[in-house]
Amino acid sequence: MKFQSSFCGWVMLFFLTPFVSCESKQSKAEKKEVSLSDTAKFYSIERYIQDEMQYVDLRDFSITETKITAGDSTTKSITKDEFLSIATEILNQTNWFAQNKFLYKETVFQDLGTESYTINYQTDQADIKSIDLLLNEQTNLPKRLFIRMIRQEGEITSTIQYSWVTGKQFSIAKSVKKRTDLIEQSSKTIQWINRP
C-alpha cells in the first residue's frame, strides 16, 4: 500500500511538472515582454535642437540664409535673433513629437559604411510622417536629423522637409501640389561658420 501511494505520487509529479514548468516559463516570458516594451526609449530630438540653437546663440558665428524660390537664389547675412526665430519652426516640430511619440514606431538601423546608426520614427497617424536621426557609432552623438511632414487638404498636398546637420546648417524645403501638379516650391538653408 505504501509502495502504491508512493508510486502514484511520483506519477502525478512526473505529469504535473511540465505544466508547472510551462506555466513558469510562460509567465517569465510575459514579464520579459512587458519589461522590453516598457523600457523602449525615444531619443530626445527636441533636446538636440535646443542644444544646437544654444550652441549658435552663445558664439560669434557668421550666419547666412540662402533662399531658393522659383529658381531664384538669394543669400544674405542674418542676426542671431533671426536664426533663433527660423530654427524655432523646427524646434516646435520636435516638441510636438516629444509629446506625441506614442503614435510612432521606432526602428534602428546600423550603417557600417558611414559608421552610424539611423533611428527612424514613423507613423500614419500624424502630419509628421517620419523622423530619421543619424548617430555617430562611436560617440552616439547626432550627426544629422531629417523630419518629413505631409499635410493633405482636399486636392492640395503640402510637404515640408526639415534637415539639420550638426554644427553646420539646417534647411527647410517646402512644396505644394494640387493632385500631381506642382504649384509652389521653395527652400531656405541657414549656415553658420566661425568668423575669420
Side-chain angles (χ1 to χ4, degrees):
M1 187 72 153
K2 201 175 200 183
F3 172 75
Q4 191 176 15
S5 68
S6 175
F7 178 73
C8 288
W10 281 107
V11 169
M12 287 181 63
L13 182 63
F14 178 76
F15 283 112
L16 290 177
T17 300
F19 294 114
V20 172
S21 175
C22 289
E23 182 89 23
S24 175
K25 285 180 184 175
Q26 184 178 6
S27 83
K28 283 180 186 174
E30 286 171 1
K31 285 178 187 173
K32 187 176 181 181
E33 191 174 309
V34 168
S35 173
L36 287 175
S37 63
D38 286 347
T39 59
K41 297 228 183 329
F42 285 78
Y43 194 91
S44 182
I45 294 171
E46 73 283 5
R47 184 69 190 161
Y48 162 61
I49 297 299
Q50 288 171 352
D51 289 347
E52 283 284 293
M53 290 170 69
Q54 185 177 28
Y55 177 78
V56 174
D57 190 32
L58 295 176
R59 286 163 180 78
D60 186 31
F61 287 126
S62 171
I63 308 169
T64 60
E65 175 189 63
T66 302
K67 284 186 179 180
I68 301 173
T69 307
D72 294 327
S73 176
T74 59
T75 301
K76 67 175 184 174
S77 291
I78 62 171
T79 65
K80 284 184 187 179
D81 287 340
E82 290 171 310
F83 162 84
L84 293 171
S85 177
I86 299 166
T88 298
E89 182 178 344
I90 298 175
L91 180 62
N92 289 341
Q93 302 309 321
T94 61
N95 285 335
W96 184 92
F97 167 75
Q99 295 167 5
N100 295 279
K101 61 188 177 185
F102 62 91
L103 297 172
Y104 291 81
K105 179 182 177 188
E106 179 186 79
T107 57
V108 180
F109 170 74
Q110 183 179 13
D111 185 346
L112 298 175
T114 61
E115 296 183 354
S116 62
Y117 291 100
T118 300
I119 303 175
N120 174 264
Y121 304 101
Q122 206 153 0
T123 189
D124 290 328
Q125 301 176 45
D127 288 345
I128 297 176
K129 300 298 181 194
S130 66
I131 297 176
D132 289 300
L133 180 67
L134 280 69
L135 299 175
N136 182 300
E137 187 177 74
Q138 303 300 321
T139 63
N140 285 331
L141 293 175
K143 293 163 62 173
R144 289 178 173 260
L145 171 69
F146 300 97
I147 301 172
R148 185 172 180 82
M149 175 185 283
I150 301 174
R151 284 199 180 111
Q152 186 75 40
E153 294 176 14
E155 297 180 339
I156 305 294
T157 304
S158 301
T159 303
I160 304 174
Q161 176 78 40
Y162 301 100
S163 64
W164 197 294
V165 180
T166 302
K168 293 182 182 176
Q169 68 179 39
F170 69 85
S171 299
I172 303 171
K174 300 180 180 183
S175 68
V176 180
K177 289 184 177 181
K178 183 173 183 179
R179 295 185 191 164
T180 57
D181 298 328
L182 184 63
I183 298 172
E184 183 184 327
Q185 190 170 17
S186 65
S187 70
K188 72 173 77 168
T189 301
I190 310 299
Q191 295 179 304
W192 53 96
I193 56 170
N194 285 322
R195 292 183 188 274

